Amino acid sequence: RGYPALVDARDSVNLQVFDNPQQAEVEMHYGLRRLLMLQLSQPLKYLQKNLAHIQAICLHYAPVGHCEDIKKDIIDAVLDQAFLADGEFINTQAAFNACLENGRDRLMEIANRICQLVHDCLQSFHRVRKQLHGRIPPAWLPASRDIKGQLGELIYPGFISETPLEWLEQYPRYMQAIEKRLEKLQHAVDKDRKLAQDIAPLWQHYLDYMANDGAYTHAVEEYRWLLEELRVSLFAQELKTVKPVSVPRLEKLWHTLKSG
């Protein structure tokens, strides 16, 4: 049995048959995105020249990657949200045309929304990074290493289009929680160390799983983002979480995930 999918070939798309349905689904997503780009070349040129806050976004993203790369990442995320977010199966010309018409008029609105989110979180990222690269007390080093590891999993090339919008919308709060944690470190280093020890094994489960090419299922995705919610709960409780979360709850979730 074969699973056909459109495959992104940069200047075109190709039709290819895969043995694995999950791989075909992933490739189909990228193929459809490329096909949309080819159909929307003029609107996308205008969009790229008019991305909100782009100078500040590029400035704060500079330690991670190039300006053109984050512009492309934003455009990819806009296309996904405007045309492909509802999960509708598109495999006919009529379905593609309907998808194209339904999303075309929302491009700028969605772009503005995503740019505002990215701008806000990268502003905070810049402040956190500046503080971590300044002179910090030796007692802060464990927390500093933990935060740098957390940032590396949040802000990386491609993070905008790879992060589901429901979680990308939480990025400003996650960054704010890191800033709150750094504020509290000034008078509660021992408490921070204890809280960090609570989350460390749960975080390591996820890192080890991904390092060993584990499948990024919906259950793994939920676990990954609930880890961020747990950090908010532990280090900046006043910011509140979007879902109930605790160390025992995540331990149970990981056990269920691994045994399933």
Side-chain angles (χ1 to χ4, degrees), residues 4 23-24 28-29 35 43 47 56 62 64 76 79 81 130 136 150 153 189 219 221 230 235 249 253:
Q23 185 182 2
M28 186 68 176
H29 180 88
L35 198 57
L47 189 64
V64 179
D76 286 348
L79 288 169
Q81 287 306 312
K130 186 176 179 181
I136 61 174
Q150 179 189 5
E153 293 293 323
V189 173
E221 179 182 289
L230 181 61
F235 299 112
R249 191 182 292 256
L253 181 59

Side-chain angles (χ1 to χ4, degrees), residues 100-201:
L100 195 62
E101 289 307 310
N102 290 338
R104 189 192 298 266
D105 294 338
R106 299 191 298 139
L107 284 172
M108 186 57 74
E109 173 198 342
I110 293 171
N112 288 338
R113 179 183 174 193
I114 289 176
C115 283
Q116 187 65 57
L117 280 172
V118 174
H119 172 262
D120 292 348
C121 82
L122 287 182
Q123 262 195 333
S124 184
F125 171 70
H126 173 72
R127 291 193 296 268
V128 169
R129 194 173 177 279
K130 186 176 179 181
Q131 190 168 351
L132 291 177
H133 284 77
R135 295 186 63 181
I136 61 174
W140 287 28
L141 288 176
S144 175
R145 284 193 294 269
D146 182 41
I147 292 170
K148 287 178 180 177
Q150 179 189 5
L151 290 175
E153 293 293 323
L154 286 170
I155 309 294
Y156 56 88
F159 81 95
I160 303 168
S161 58
E162 290 181 11
T163 303
L165 185 60
E166 66 173 306
W167 296 113
L168 188 66
E169 289 175 333
Q170 308 307 322
Y171 264 53
R173 183 170 54 90
Y174 295 154
M175 293 297 166
Q176 190 180 356
I178 295 172
E179 293 191 85
K180 294 281 187 185
R181 180 182 180 183
L182 287 170
E183 287 175 15
K184 294 175 183 178
L185 265 178
Q186 299 177 33
H187 52 78
V189 173
D190 290 339
K191 183 179 180 181
D192 184 278
R193 186 179 297 112
K194 182 181 182 306
L195 293 174
Q197 288 171 350
D198 289 341
I199 197 172

Side-chain angles (χ1 to χ4, degrees), residues 1-6 17-30 89 215-218:
R1 175 172 294 186
Y3 301 89
L6 294 178
V17 179
F18 295 89
D19 296 331
N20 185 302
Q22 287 77 31
Q23 185 182 2
E25 184 179 352
V26 170
E27 294 295 341
M28 186 68 176
H29 180 88
Y30 294 134
F89 187 62
Y216 196 68
T217 62
H218 291 302

Side-chain angles (χ1 to χ4, degrees), residues 201-223 249-260:
L202 296 168
W203 182 237
Q204 198 60 49
H205 287 329
Y206 171 75
L207 295 178
D208 290 344
Y209 178 85
M210 296 307 296
N212 290 317
D213 297 323
Y216 196 68
T217 62
H218 291 302
V220 174
E221 179 182 289
E222 180 187 16
Y223 179 84
R249 191 182 292 256
L250 282 204
E251 286 175 341
K252 183 179 179 181
L253 181 59
W254 181 255
H255 178 73
T256 302
L257 190 157
K258 289 298 290 181
S259 60

Side-chain angles (χ1 to χ4, degrees), residues 82-102:
F83 301 103
L84 304 174
D86 60 6
E88 287 291 323
F89 187 62
I90 300 171
N91 66 344
T92 67
Q93 181 74 53
F96 180 79
N97 290 343
C99 169
L100 195 62
E101 289 307 310
N102 290 338

Side-chain angles (χ1 to χ4, degrees), residues 35-47 104:
L35 198 57
L36 288 163
M37 287 181 181
L38 295 170
Q39 293 292 313
L40 297 164
S41 57
Q42 290 306 314
L44 291 183
K45 282 180 183 177
Y46 174 83
L47 189 64
R104 189 192 298 266

